[in-house]
Amino acid sequence: MYQRSDHGFGNGSGTAALSLDQALPAGFGRRIVRPSAWQRIEARLADVELVPDLGARIGSREWFRGLATCAVLISAAWALAPGFDPIIAASPPAMGEEARSEARVLSIAPLALGADTGRRMAATDAVAPLADTPERPSIDLVATLGRGDGFARVLTRAGVADSEAAKVASLVAGAVSLGDIAPGTRMDVTLGRRPNRNVARPLDFLAFRARFDLRLQLERANGALVLKRIPIAVDDTPLRIQGRRGASFVTSARAAGVPAHAIEAYLKAIGGKISINDLGPDDRFDIIIEHARAETGETKTGKLLYAGLDQGRRQVRLIEWTIDGRTEWFDAAGVGKKRGVMTQPVSGRLTSGFGMRRHPLLGYSRLHKGLDFGAPHGAPIYAATDGVVAFAGRNRGYGNYVRLNHAGGIGTGYAHMSRIAVPGGARVRQGQVIGYVGSTGLSTGPHLHYEVYRNGVAINPKSISFVQTSQLAGADLGRFRAKLAQLLNVKLGAKAAPPPAAQPMGGALAKAVR
């Protein structure tokens, strides 16, 4: 029964020992000691687990015992927590001016403010205050004109008296408009000696660059300020840049020195004649922009003057020209940008097409002569293309109605407007607002009824496609050719030649612009 190989305590297994205890009668070989009541309670409490895992055996007696323990601990912590009432304590009295000055001296503020924030140490009886301190005979400083700032206000902030600042502004305005002085302009100011501390220092010297080609200088002579104009020589030779397109036009142009705004203008100009996607890596660009070089070293670039493209089989040469109040890019033949008719003159969705349909209000079928676009009430309506207002007013079932006449016998109509924005007989441009969406006349809700006419007969707006171009002629064409020839004479690093006199096409000039 008792073997050392058995698992248990002593020389035998636990099972064998338990069986033996039960087999032997009480009192056999030893005295039985019975536990006391307190020992039995301790043994029972030792088996009770007060803090079980609340994530296991959810709903059992042990779990509810742990939940009760958690609730008791939280309640005890809440009951024993201190209150949030403020602690009553005496507040220090407010510091006086001298005490505050002493505190500032001992802080880091003197270093931050240039060591000008008070006395360096407390004053004693040995310190005798000065009745007066000497001033510097003059003060040199720099003032900067901010965006939206006033010229006289800048001088006033620098320490100039209001009356003298107004006088200086009047002198400068006689030489250049104060509004033309660019924000960020730096002014060298010298303030002179004053008779006492109760008045502002007089202005002895003022110098600044009023324009790219002009510097203004004011000096005090015999007690009065004298304005002196100092012209700055400027070379306004246009800047001509040529190069190969390569893998990317923008990258190649920027590497060649073309400003970003000129690249944007070039792409818009060329895009009106050819598709940008048609450009090849071997195509060469030719760009001329306004450029100014001052004798002091500064440079300034302006707008794009000439946009050229050489594709070998085709050459594009464009310059900007204004005709009838419209500025466009014209090619060498004097032909402007092509403009097509807008197919949707309002921002909205197509709700009804052209053709026979049952009228929603009249109840019978009839020809719907246009397109209906659903749009919110008050949305702007734009002119489809350039034209003349033939009618603007109330027109029976159309309600508020505008009709435009265009070139080539084409007309457009816009109905059911809430408000008309153009008078009869007025000339309008493509994209100009002519009215606002409404629901006047025979209408079931806010929308635009858009019609297109050819020789007075309504046609499907989706079926028409025509373009409109500007063509220079007469004196305008002559001046245009002269300007083009002048720009074509600009060499890389050479000055533009004076414009030749206007003359008919012919000879070398005809070859240049053909």
Side-chain angles (χ1 to χ4, degrees), residues 43-60:
R44 184 178 295 274
L45 291 178
D47 296 334
V48 176
E49 186 179 2
L50 295 178
V51 189
D53 184 6
L54 294 179
R57 295 183 296 171
I58 299 175
S60 63

Side-chain angles (χ1 to χ4, degrees), residues 3-17:
Q3 309 220 355
R4 285 192 170 274
S5 61
D6 289 346
H7 298 285
F9 300 98
N11 294 326
S13 69
T15 304

Side-chain angles (χ1 to χ4, degrees), residues 168-192:
V168 171
S170 178
L171 289 174
V172 173
V176 62
S177 175
L178 298 181
D180 293 341
I181 303 177
T185 299
R186 297 167 61 88
M187 307 177 187
D188 297 325
V189 181
T190 300
L191 303 179

Side-chain angles (χ1 to χ4, degrees), residues 53 336 367 420 456 479:
D53 184 6
L367 178 64
I420 297 174
R479 290 189 294 269

Side-chain angles (χ1 to χ4, degrees), residues 378-397:
I381 301 172
Y382 307 101
T385 188
D386 297 353
V388 179
V389 179
F391 179 84
R394 195 80 178 184
N395 186 10
R396 296 178 297 177

